[in-house]
Amino acid sequence: MSKETTGNAFDYTLFKRLMRYTKPYKFTFTGVAISAVLLSVFAIARPILLKQTVDNYIITKDLNGLTLFILLMGVVLLFEVIFQLLFIYYANWLGQSVIKDIRIKLFKHMMAFKMKYFDNSSVGILVTRAVSDIERIAEIFSNGLFMIVSDLLKMLVVIGVMLTTNWRLSLIVFCVLPVILYATRLFQKAMKKAFIDVRAQVANLNSFVQERISGMKIVQLFVREDEEYENFRKINKKHERAWVKTVWYNSIFFAVAELLTSITTGLIVWYGGLRVIVGEIELGTIFMFIQLSQMLFGPLRQIADKFNTLQMGMVAANRIFDILDTSSTIEDKGNVIATNFKGDISFKNVRFGYLENEEVLHGITFDVKSGETVAIVGATGAGKSTIINLLNRFYDINSGDITIDGTSIKDFSLESLRGQIAIVLQDVFLFADTILNNITLKNNSITEEQVIEAAKEIGVHKFIKSLPHTYHYNVKERGVMLSSGQRQLIAFLRAYVTNPGILVLDEATSSVDSYSEKLIQKATERITRGRTSIIIAHRLATVKKADKIIVMDAGKIVETGTHKELLKKENGYYKNLYEVQFLAEEEVI
């Protein structure tokens, strides 16, 4: 993969890789390429016909011949318009088809990433890559590649016509040509670096805005509006400067190009006029050379502009391929299909750290028997949630082994493993969709009738029926139309309808109203009945009813036992925790 810091105007390896995505559309690709060639032919025909019209019919005052050639020029113009229409439409269609395929591949690739990748990546930047950067790739086809090819062909044909018509006038044009070519080259290199900066600033701006909008409640709660406004001003200023730099380069280049074109036209008129007076060339030749010189210099200016589009698309493609080349996926080589787990879970000397040389779990070993409800308690940062992440293989362990029903979780296919484990997280995420779709996640194998029956079983049907449109109520982005307790109930139901072999609950009822808390407690009892359940316990009722309690501290298991057994240990960690936290809670209740 080419480095973004290179000042190269064009990266052939990157371009070749991008062209592979056009293979499914090779018929359209060929048609657009042919249209580009024909457009250059029709464009050259116009000045040639103009010369013939001036010399043979206007000067000789041949009205019939003039009418015929005017009609002929009209026909040529009509064909040019038709092919221009086909060219623009199908070039854009090809670009959109290619980015559709790339976007699908990118999204599928990102969905397979480890959680660690998302831990270290900005959501705003990833959104920029998947949306705006990919749109830049489409412009390679619509306004870049084919237009450049068409312009280059046009320029080659123009040069050939000039040389065969009058080499002296051609020399006048060619003397200015190297200056424009040199200016174009400098312009392209400067714009490549400028566009890299632009894309970086766009990503930073998107990331900042996305995070602040998502965390607007925190911004307002802590009265950070003025500070965030100033931060935004600074980031937006950098974004502006990056774009202004590209505008500055454009302003210089196009002004110089326009000046050189005007000088060339003046020299053609001056020298050509003298030759007409002495009878060396015909008047129509001057008209043709003026038009041909504009057709030669015009594409040069446009090529520079289109090359900018091509370069911006290549920079975007480079960023997209960087993500596609990222191998941050969980290894999925298991060939055992997990079906109907009994629920025997075993952690054997498991060691794990999110960062290298920073271990979070230090040789964890415990067993959960089929049908047991196990509560994991401990202070924040003890490693409770890490156990959940490892069981689902959101992360891979550093050493040791985790088995379910005697089989290592690495031997299960990832899809089937996660399909047998349902999780209710403390921070419930709901999509901007109906309650029904948030429960089924549009799984066609789960019917609305099954959802309603499950809701009745765990005691949340009445709550859902009280909402407008009931199960078809749209909860909006992240479920903002529901309270935290209601979102939690939806999450319980979402887990329950999948009929998992193993259930993991990050129980969170500390911030919900008493009515929702009672519903959640009832749902917890129903959903854990008869299946293996691991619960990150926050409430006393859950801890007491658990078949076993695992007490963690600083990534180690310090105690294991039932509620009564652990309370009997003098100066025990659980006993102290219970007296400080749970007993105080019991007194309040």
Side-chain angles (χ1 to χ4, degrees):
M1 184 60 59
S2 63
K3 299 292 183 186
E4 291 182 353
T5 52
T6 128
N8 295 338
F10 190 77
D11 188 327
Y12 176 74
T13 304
L14 184 64
F15 179 75
K16 185 178 178 182
R17 181 176 179 181
L18 186 60
M19 286 302 102
R20 293 176 194 156
Y21 290 91
T22 65
K23 286 183 179 180
Y25 313 103
K26 54 186 177 183
F27 178 78
T28 302
F29 185 93
T30 304
V32 173
I34 292 173
S35 296
V37 174
L38 291 175
L39 279 174
S40 64
V41 172
F42 288 128
I44 297 300
R46 285 188 284 110
I48 295 175
L49 289 174
L50 177 62
K51 177 186 182 307
Q52 297 297 323
T53 302
V54 172
D55 291 339
N56 298 333
Y57 302 106
I58 293 179
I59 293 178
T60 60
K61 300 179 181 180
D62 184 346
L63 182 59
N64 292 330
L66 177 62
T67 303
L68 178 64
F69 261 71
I70 292 297
L71 289 173
L72 183 58
M73 291 175 70
V75 171
V76 170
L77 182 61
L78 177 63
F79 275 101
E80 187 176 356
V81 168
I82 292 173
F83 277 97
Q84 185 77 27
L85 186 151
L86 293 173
F87 173 80
I88 292 174
Y89 176 80
Y90 283 105
N92 279 276
W93 182 90
L94 179 63
Q96 291 300 320
S97 298
V98 167
I99 67 167
K100 174 201 68 177
D101 295 342
I102 295 177
R103 185 178 281 126
I104 290 172
K105 184 175 181 180
L106 178 67
F107 187 72
K108 183 178 181 182
H109 188 65
M110 288 196 299
M111 284 197 297
F113 279 160
K114 298 177 183 177
M115 287 299 109
K116 185 177 180 180
Y117 180 88
F118 298 104
D119 294 341
N120 299 326
S121 301
S122 163
V123 173
I125 289 177
L126 291 177
V127 170
T128 300
R129 299 290 178 267
V131 181
S132 59
D133 277 348
I134 285 188
E135 287 297 335
R136 292 292 181 183
I137 295 177
E139 293 175 2
I140 290 177
F141 301 95
S142 59
N143 296 316
L145 173 66
F146 293 113
M147 293 299 293
I148 290 174
V149 170
S150 179
D151 288 342
L152 287 174
L153 287 172
K154 190 185 297 181
M155 290 165 61
L156 288 173
V157 176
V158 165
I159 291 171
V161 172
M162 282 182 168
L163 288 172
T164 55
T165 303
N166 190 296
W167 66 270
R168 290 185 176 88
L169 286 176
S170 300
L171 283 179
I172 293 175
V173 178
F174 297 161
C175 284
V176 182
L177 190 60
V179 182
I180 293 183
L181 287 172
Y182 181 69
T184 302
R185 175 64 177 170
L186 291 178
F187 177 67
Q188 290 168 353
K189 293 183 73 173
M191 289 300 284
K192 173 69 180 291
K193 294 179 180 178
F195 280 140
I196 290 174
D197 191 27
V198 165
R199 297 314 304 160
Q201 295 307 326
V202 167
N204 289 338
L205 187 64
N206 286 348
S207 178
F208 183 89
V209 172
Q210 187 273 332
E211 286 183 350
R212 269 54 186 187
I213 290 176
S214 298
M216 188 57 68
K217 183 180 289 186
I218 299 299
V219 172
Q220 294 182 357
L221 278 173
F222 290 89
V223 198
R224 298 291 299 174
E225 292 92 339
D226 291 342
E227 288 78 4
E228 295 301 340
Y229 172 73
E230 286 303 317
N231 290 335
F232 178 78
R233 278 171 55 90
K234 292 175 183 177
I235 293 175
N236 197 38
K237 187 66 178 177
K238 291 180 181 179
H239 178 264
E240 178 199 25
R241 286 173 183 167
W243 273 109
V244 167
K245 189 182 290 186
T246 67
V247 174
W248 171 244
Y249 291 149
N250 273 294
S251 301
I252 295 175
F253 174 76
F254 286 107
V256 170
E258 191 63 36
L259 176 63
L260 292 173
T261 301
S262 299
I263 291 173
T264 304
T265 301
L267 291 173
I268 291 173
V269 172
W270 169 71
Y271 181 79
L274 293 177
R275 297 304 95 192
V276 170
I277 292 173
V278 298
E280 289 185 4
I281 62 174
E282 297 171 318
L283 181 61
T285 303
I286 297 179
F287 281 92
M288 184 180 76
F289 262 80
I290 291 173
Q291 199 166 8
L292 287 176
S293 66
Q294 291 174 346
M295 291 176 65
L296 183 63
F297 293 157
L300 268 178
R301 295 197 300 271
Q302 292 170 10
I303 279 178
D305 191 36
K306 285 157 189 160
F307 210 96
N308 294 340
T309 300
L310 180 61
Q311 286 180 324
M312 204 166 209
M314 296 293 280
V315 169
N318 193 29
R319 294 176 183 273
I320 298 300
F321 290 144
D322 275 343
I323 297 178
L324 288 174
D325 291 339
T326 300
S327 56
S328 183
T329 57
I330 294 290
E331 190 178 75
D332 188 13
K333 294 183 178 179
N335 52 18
V336 179
I337 304 301
T339 56
N340 301 320
F341 277 156
K342 292 180 181 178
D344 289 318
I345 302 171
S346 180
F347 275 61
K348 301 174 183 177
N349 196 29
V350 173
R351 294 183 178 273
F352 171 76
Y354 293 101
L355 301 174
E356 288 187 22
N357 303 320
E358 291 188 23
E359 207 171 66
V360 176
L361 297 183
H362 311 289
I364 294 293
T365 298
F366 67 88
D367 293 310
V368 180
K369 295 179 181 179
S370 175
E372 273 190 337
T373 295
V374 174
I376 303 177
V377 301
T380 301
K384 304 185 299 294
S385 295
T386 300
I387 289 176
I388 296 174
N389 290 332
L390 297 181
L391 187 62
N392 277 272
R393 291 196 69 198
F394 286 146
Y395 303 85
D396 272 334
I397 60 178
N398 297 345
S399 64
D401 196 13
I402 302 173
T403 64
I404 299 177
D405 295 343
T407 302
S408 174
I409 58 173
K410 289 187 177 181
D411 293 334
F412 292 111
S413 70
L414 204 56
E415 182 179 357
S416 67
L417 171 70
R418 292 176 178 171
Q420 280 292 304
I421 303 174
I423 299 182
V424 179
L425 296 172
Q426 182 176 354
D427 183 18
V428 177
F429 186 94
L430 298 181
F431 296 95
D433 207 332
T434 64
I435 285 180
L436 179 64
N437 287 337
N438 269 289
I439 293 168
T440 65
L441 297 178
K442 298 185 178 180
N443 183 342
N444 294 328
S445 65
I446 304 173
T447 66
E448 184 173 352
E449 289 72 22
Q450 288 175 310
V451 171
I452 293 173
E453 186 61 32
K456 290 178 180 178
E457 287 179 13
I458 67 173
V460 300
H461 176 69
K462 185 178 178 181
F463 138 65
I464 296 176
K465 289 295 286 184
S466 68
L467 298 172
H469 310 297
T470 62
Y471 287 86
H472 298 279
Y473 178 61
N474 193 312
V475 299
K476 305 299 181 183
E477 187 175 1
R478 298 185 68 89
V480 295
M481 302 304 290
L482 302 177
S483 69
S484 58
Q486 290 171 332
R487 291 195 295 271
Q488 194 77 30
L489 290 169
I490 298 301
F492 270 83
L493 186 53
R494 179 163 61 191
Y496 186 61
V497 295
T498 61
N499 192 27
I502 296 172
L503 182 67
V504 180
L505 302 179
D506 191 352
E507 188 192 20
T509 57
S510 57
S511 60
V512 302
D513 59 89
S514 57
Y515 176 71
S516 295
E517 182 177 350
K518 289 179 181 178
L519 288 178
I520 290 173
Q521 288 176 354
K522 180 180 178 182
T524 302
E525 291 175 8
R526 181 63 185 88
I527 199 173
T528 57
R529 192 181 304 160
R531 62 166 53 88
T532 303
S533 304
I534 297 177
I535 301 176
I536 305 297
H538 299 278
R539 306 295 284 183
L540 176 63
T542 306
V543 176
K544 282 184 171 182
K545 293 179 180 179
D547 298 311
K548 181 165 58 178
I549 300 171
I550 296 174
V551 187
M552 296 191 65
D553 181 39
K556 296 179 179 179
I557 295 176
V558 292
E559 292 175 352
T560 303
T562 64
H563 174 68
K564 292 181 179 180
E565 289 170 349
L566 293 174
L567 285 182
K568 292 178 181 178
K569 293 187 178 181
E570 288 297 327
N571 297 319
Y573 188 98
Y574 177 80
K575 184 177 181 180
N576 292 333
L577 181 67
Y578 172 77
E579 290 175 349
V580 172
Q581 178 182 344
F582 295 139
L583 191 57
E585 178 186 318
E586 190 176 36
E587 290 174 355
V588 171
I589 295 173

